[in-house]
Amino acid sequence: MGGGELARAFLDADLIDRLHLGIVPVLLGEGIPLFPSGFPRRDFTLLENKSYSRGLISLKYERSRPKRKAES
């Protein structure tokens, strides 16, 4: 758990392997960004999604990393 600024430090250092996001649909006018702008691009693959009776959605992602070439 942590805010967007904490996540930025980990993303900048390429240290995030999984993301677990919980979404609660509440309208807040302009809204609050999940992450502040300026994040480096990182690709993730959806592992799991669940919806709950009160409207919560849970998403789990895993980092997609390029395959490394085997050293000879």
Side-chain angles (χ1 to χ4, degrees), residues 8-67:
R8 178 197 309 269
F10 284 102
L11 283 168
D12 283 341
D14 202 16
L15 295 174
I16 294 182
D17 294 319
R18 287 198 177 191
L19 288 174
H20 294 225
L21 303 175
I23 299 171
V24 179
V26 176
L27 296 177
L28 299 172
E30 290 184 21
I32 300 168
L34 180 59
F35 299 110
S37 64
F39 276 93
R41 180 183 167 105
R42 301 287 188 248
D43 294 322
F44 289 85
T45 301
L46 180 65
L47 296 176
E48 180 181 290
N49 63 49
K50 289 184 181 179
S51 58
Y52 297 89
S53 62
R54 294 188 170 228
L56 173 73
I57 300 169
S58 171
L59 303 169
K60 292 182 183 179
Y61 292 91
E62 183 172 66
R63 176 74 196 282
S64 301
R65 296 183 184 270
K67 304 251 187 242

